[in-house]
Amino acid sequence: MQKKLQLYTRFERLWHWVQAALIIVLALTGFELHGTFELFGFEKAHTIHMYSAWPLLVLTAFAIFWHITTGEWKQYIPSSRNILPVALYYIRGIFRGERHPFSKTRQKKLNPLQALAYFTLKTVLLPVSLVSGVLYLFPDRAEAFLNIPLGLTAVTHTAGAFALVSFFIVHTYLTTTGGTLLTYIKAMITGWEETDE
Amino acid sequence: MCHDGTGTYKKFPTDCGHPAYEEKKFGGTTYQTVDLGNIARNIKKSSRNTCGACHFFGGGGDGVKHGDLDSSMFAPDKSLDVHMDVKGLNYNCTVCHTARSHDIVGRKYSRAAPNTHRLALPEDTGLRIGCENCHSSRPHKNNQNLNDHTDTVACQTCHIPYFARGGIATQLDWDWSTAGKHTADGKAIVKKDSDGNVIYHTKKGTMAWGTSLEPEYAWYRGVMTYIQQQDIIDPSTVVALNRPLGSYADRDARIYPFKVHQGKQPFDAESNRLVVPKLFGKKGSGAYWAEYDWTKAANKGMEAYGAPFSGSIGFIETTFYSPLNHMIAPKEASLACGECHSRSGRLAALTSFYLPGRDRSGLVDALGWTAVWLSLAGILIHGVLRFILKK
């Protein structure tokens, strides 16, 4: 039976897409600043990077507030229950056309693998990038008050960026694993997901 | 001299700042007797002409020594120097080189100039003027990022993107070892390039010149060390006759632009010390410019200098650093970010600190790219399998 489920609120969707856009722009300009390629030129890349970094910080502050006030943060608590069947599904079941072992509900919309992935994203990957990014904005103070040299800040920031890019690649690919290639993308745009059952 | 309103004061080359008190001939030019009385009667506020009469000709000719002070600075336009621009601020040298710095109006004492050794005029014991004295150390109104640079990068570094921009060539290389050649019939040789710069002279050797040049950069806190005659040098390396002091760790030091002059000059090949050869003199005096014999000239020169000479002459390569402070370009021509923040930019040689865009951690980059490529390979394989196995 087809069922329509509202998974994502308006704020969540807005937050998701703005964050996605900002992170893509930050990664692009960031790797240019890193010297990986030349696209905008260092000065423009730096300007764009700054104009994206501040909104991302503001957005993140809003998102943290939203997660706390709505209690939605609990969605991201990882648990080992059912993690094996889900992992097996992506390694084997998906090729055999088996059904996803996890059924989403409004209360529990992340499968255990997703919960673990997003938990890592929100407690490690993003904080590493954001905190080192803020230090990078004030390198002289980071050095003076926290004794963190620019090199350490920069290398940490780069490491965070590599992790985020890898996350982004896999994350984007996994959006194609719904009922149709675009099921999950549509859900993140409209907020509603069609699931069978 | 500094207040000569007649413009007749001219240094006699090689006389270390003294004018021709009697008419003298040098290199084909007659140096008229300077009428000091006339100068005294025409005294006016010192202008660029008076200071320039000496300083634009340092090293024995126009622009030879400094790469940022030459005769094009008598009447520069804005593209050459924003402060001395004749149609703009039209600053005299003394606006910046004042004996007592508080004579200058409009200065902001937001921060002391970065140099501990402050010197404006030879006789000056007061403050040494720096760009910060007028502009403050955070002069960029709309660009705080540039202001964040001023604790590591000197103003001059970004604002003098090229030196010797006024069309007058500055000397870059002087190789004494080739001096002394004569034509078959024993005449002195003088060769000039198409711009009239001497590139070979029997008395002096081979020289190279250039205009609109990229400076070299070094950490500098306003103090130089100089090699002394008695210092032992290593002839297998290029000997730095002077060296700017400073490092990244030194809070008073900044990355500063320099003209680095290359040279090749005689030294005592046994004691590994510099020699001071006698250049001037009549035939029989041992002077190099009379007899073209380095050993004799060194013998005589060191005798006069009062230090021993082994009798064995060799030639060493040398460098000499001159800091660049003039020819401040208009703001649009300031050094672009990418000139420094790139893999092989202008600061490639200054490796003691992390420079974004130039440096990286090889380990983090290797691990990072591995993660990125593995992710891509993973989704590609997974996707292809899904596609194939679906049917």
Side-chain angles (χ1 to χ4, degrees):
Chain A
M1 194 189 77
Q2 286 281 54
K3 195 176 78 174
K4 263 197 148 188
L5 195 66
Q6 201 199 358
L7 281 183
Y8 311 109
T9 64
R10 191 188 306 204
F11 172 80
E12 259 180 308
R13 284 176 278 142
L14 185 77
W15 161 56
H16 174 270
W17 288 115
V18 175
Q19 183 181 51
L22 289 175
I23 288 183
I24 291 170
V25 171
L26 282 164
L28 221 58
T29 51
F31 275 100
E32 169 155 23
L33 296 174
H34 186 58
T36 304
F37 47 75
E38 227 187 293
L39 190 63
F40 303 102
F42 194 92
E43 178 159 20
K44 265 215 193 78
H46 179 260
T47 307
I48 301 172
H49 203 74
M50 291 301 105
Y51 279 116
S52 319
W54 284 107
L56 182 63
L57 288 175
V58 173
L59 185 70
T60 305
F62 273 105
I64 291 173
F65 179 75
W66 179 86
H67 277 89
I68 293 172
T69 51
T70 58
E72 285 288 308
W73 61 273
K74 294 191 197 101
Q75 300 267 8
Y76 301 98
I77 301 172
S79 98
S80 55
R81 255 189 66 215
N82 276 331
I83 201 163
L84 205 63
V86 174
L88 275 178
Y89 167 76
Y90 285 107
I91 300 171
R92 208 176 51 201
I94 191 168
F95 302 120
R96 302 181 174 167
E98 284 172 14
R99 274 199 23 211
H100 201 292
F102 175 82
S103 45
K104 293 176 188 176
T105 62
R106 180 70 196 85
Q107 289 69 38
K108 203 153 177 36
K109 60 188 176 196
L110 301 176
N111 73 48
L113 217 51
Q114 277 179 306
L116 183 66
Y118 295 136
F119 181 80
T120 314
L121 175 71
K122 280 151 200 264
T123 58
V124 183
L125 301 198
L126 281 173
V128 164
S129 290
L130 294 186
V131 170
S132 61
V134 170
L135 292 178
Y136 219 149
L137 287 173
F138 308 102
D140 297 344
R141 268 157 273 186
E143 178 120 42
F145 300 124
L146 304 171
N147 208 10
I148 302 176
L150 180 64
L152 181 60
T153 306
V155 168
T156 313
H157 201 58
T158 313
F162 274 119
L164 282 177
V165 169
S166 309
F167 182 94
F168 171 80
I169 292 168
V170 178
H171 175 73
T172 313
Y173 170 71
L174 288 174
T175 64
T176 66
T177 59
T180 72
L181 289 182
L182 289 178
T183 304
Y184 291 159
I185 297 275
K186 274 189 201 141
M188 194 41 102
I189 294 172
T190 62
W192 293 85
E193 185 167 319
E194 283 179 22
T195 55
D196 27 54
E197 188 187 340
Chain B
M1 321 293 131
C2 304
H3 306 274
D4 172 12
T6 64
T8 58
Y9 184 87
K10 232 183 192 175
K11 274 203 300 185
F12 184 74
T14 70
D15 269 11
C16 305
H18 289 277
Y21 297 110
E22 298 158 45
E23 195 169 300
K24 282 191 193 177
K25 271 207 164 127
F26 187 80
T29 315
T30 305
Y31 285 78
Q32 299 293 333
T33 314
V34 172
D35 180 354
L36 293 171
N38 183 26
I39 292 173
R41 285 186 294 276
N42 281 284
I43 261 178
K44 64 169 193 188
K45 200 169 161 283
S46 72
S47 70
R48 286 194 298 269
N49 292 347
T50 42
C51 311
C54 288
H55 285 285
F56 295 169
F57 301 92
D62 195 358
V64 170
K65 181 178 174 193
H66 300 281
D68 58 341
L69 293 169
D70 60 41
S71 64
S72 69
M73 296 287 277
F74 282 130
D77 60 7
K78 187 167 180 187
S79 68
L80 182 56
D81 190 296
V82 297
H83 301 103
M84 293 183 252
D85 170 20
V86 281
K87 294 209 190 74
L89 292 172
N90 201 10
Y91 277 4
N92 281 330
C93 315
T94 46
V95 174
C96 295
H97 296 287
T98 143
R100 260 169 292 130
S101 312
H102 55 77
D103 289 345
I104 294 172
V105 274
R107 106 150 21 119
K108 303 181 196 101
Y109 284 104
S110 68
R111 189 174 145 279
N115 311 305
T116 45
H117 168 64
R118 292 170 179 158
L119 183 76
L121 282 171
E123 66 273 25
D124 175 30
T125 49
L127 282 166
R128 175 147 89 171
I129 186 90
C131 321
E132 288 92 342
N133 292 111
C134 291
H135 289 286
S136 92
S137 61
R138 301 189 73 81
H140 309 96
K141 285 166 232 100
N142 314 316
N143 196 330
Q144 292 316 307
N145 176 255
L146 288 176
N147 289 338
D148 287 342
H149 280 76
T150 57
D151 62 343
T152 39
V153 183
C155 319
Q156 288 88 338
T157 299
C158 288
H159 289 291
I160 309 176
Y162 297 93
F163 64 95
R165 294 199 311 275
I168 310 285
T170 189
Q171 195 185 70
L172 299 173
D173 200 313
W174 183 345
D175 180 355
W176 281 95
S177 72
T178 59
K181 288 183 197 147
H182 289 82
T183 57
D185 49 353
K187 289 215 179 78
I189 304 170
V190 179
K191 276 195 218 142
K192 293 187 178 179
D193 66 12
S194 53
D195 295 326
N197 302 306
V198 176
I199 49 175
Y200 183 80
H201 195 299
T202 299
K203 283 185 171 176
K204 299 177 178 177
T206 314
M207 289 169 241
W209 306 79
T211 52
S212 282
L213 302 151
E214 262 187 35
E216 289 188 32
Y217 301 93
W219 290 97
Y220 180 51
R221 61 172 144 93
V223 187
M224 294 269 194
T225 52
Y226 291 86
I227 280 200
Q228 312 286 320
Q229 188 276 327
Q230 66 273 15
D231 292 341
I232 303 227
I233 55 181
D234 177 0
S236 65
T237 61
V238 177
V239 176
L241 296 177
N242 69 349
R243 211 189 276 279
L245 290 181
S247 67
Y248 179 63
D250 183 344
R251 297 205 149 266
D252 292 329
R254 304 281 182 280
I255 294 171
Y256 218 87
F258 292 90
K259 168 189 159 181
V260 181
H261 181 274
Q262 322 283 327
K264 204 165 180 187
Q265 68 176 58
F267 80 114
D268 185 330
E270 219 146 88
S271 69
N272 286 342
R273 290 189 169 94
L274 297 177
V275 294
V276 187
K278 181 181 169 69
L279 295 177
F280 290 104
K282 298 202 175 71
K283 268 220 151 45
S285 70
Y288 184 73
W289 288 345
E291 306 188 12
Y292 297 105
D293 181 330
W294 282 116
T295 312
K296 272 192 199 163
N299 252 324
K300 287 287 173 192
M302 294 311 286
E303 205 179 287
Y305 184 81
F309 171 57
S310 73
S312 153
I313 276 281
F315 283 87
I316 41 154
E317 289 181 44
T318 60
T319 54
F320 189 88
Y321 283 78
S322 307
L324 300 170
N325 289 293
H326 312 90
M327 298 191 179
I328 303 292
K331 58 184 173 191
E332 303 78 37
S334 314
L335 213 55
C337 319
E339 292 277 352
C340 297
H341 291 281
S342 57
R343 293 271 183 262
S344 49
R346 291 195 183 193
L347 302 186
L350 303 179
T351 51
S352 59
F353 61 98
Y354 187 95
L355 183 60
R358 179 192 72 180
D359 298 325
R360 54 190 146 165
S361 150
L363 179 68
V364 165
D365 264 44
L367 290 177
W369 287 118
T370 307
V372 167
W373 288 114
L374 280 182
S375 306
L376 278 172
I379 67 161
L380 203 73
I381 293 167
H382 200 271
V384 167
L385 281 179
R386 252 170 78 206
F387 185 75
I388 295 171
L389 295 176
K390 218 163 115 191
K391 286 163 222 164

